[in-house]
Amino acid sequence: MVLLIIKLKSNLPEEELLKRAKQREPQFKAIPGLLQKYYVRLGKAGEYGGIYVWDSPESLQSYRESDLAKSIPGAYEITEAPNMELMDILFQLRD
């Protein structure tokens, strides 16, 4: 499994950002290989993130090449390039 953490900055009010995330939720649920996604608020105002758990690097790569992934900057009106961290999951505590 693979873990992807994306951190971004947006000038959208949090209420609007959450509204847009909820509207896009069905599209994310339909992505093959995406086991889980967490929507998070970071420590500073206007900073948010997504934590994705993928079944394989191939599923992640397919997503990264998708129109949905490419639409994130516009959908959330991000103000600069997002910070991305990629990690291999060695094992999980619970099934």
Side-chain angles (χ1 to χ4, degrees):
M1 289 189 297
V2 180
L3 182 74
L4 173 65
I5 300 173
I6 298 178
K7 299 175 186 175
L8 58 87
K9 294 180 183 179
S10 173
N11 286 331
L12 289 175
E14 186 169 307
E15 184 177 298
E16 178 62 25
L17 186 129
L18 290 173
K19 177 182 168 189
R20 293 181 187 193
K22 283 290 192 182
Q23 289 171 342
R24 297 163 58 85
E25 186 177 2
Q27 294 171 281
F28 280 95
K29 284 182 174 179
I31 298 172
L34 179 59
L35 303 176
Q36 185 59 270
K37 181 179 179 187
Y38 299 95
Y39 297 80
V40 297
R41 179 186 324 114
L42 304 175
K44 295 181 183 175
E47 293 185 359
Y48 301 93
I51 301 171
Y52 301 74
V53 181
W54 298 93
D55 67 352
S56 69
E58 293 80 17
S59 293
L60 169 58
Q61 187 59 36
S62 291
Y63 164 72
R64 289 177 113 170
E65 295 170 0
S66 73
D67 290 338
L68 183 59
K70 293 173 187 172
S71 72
I72 287 177
Y76 300 113
E77 298 182 26
I78 65 171
T79 59
E80 58 189 59
N83 178 336
M84 292 192 266
E85 295 179 57
L86 187 59
M87 299 166 213
D88 290 321
I89 297 174
L90 300 175
F91 74 96
Q92 64 187 31
L93 179 63
R94 294 186 175 94
D95 291 327

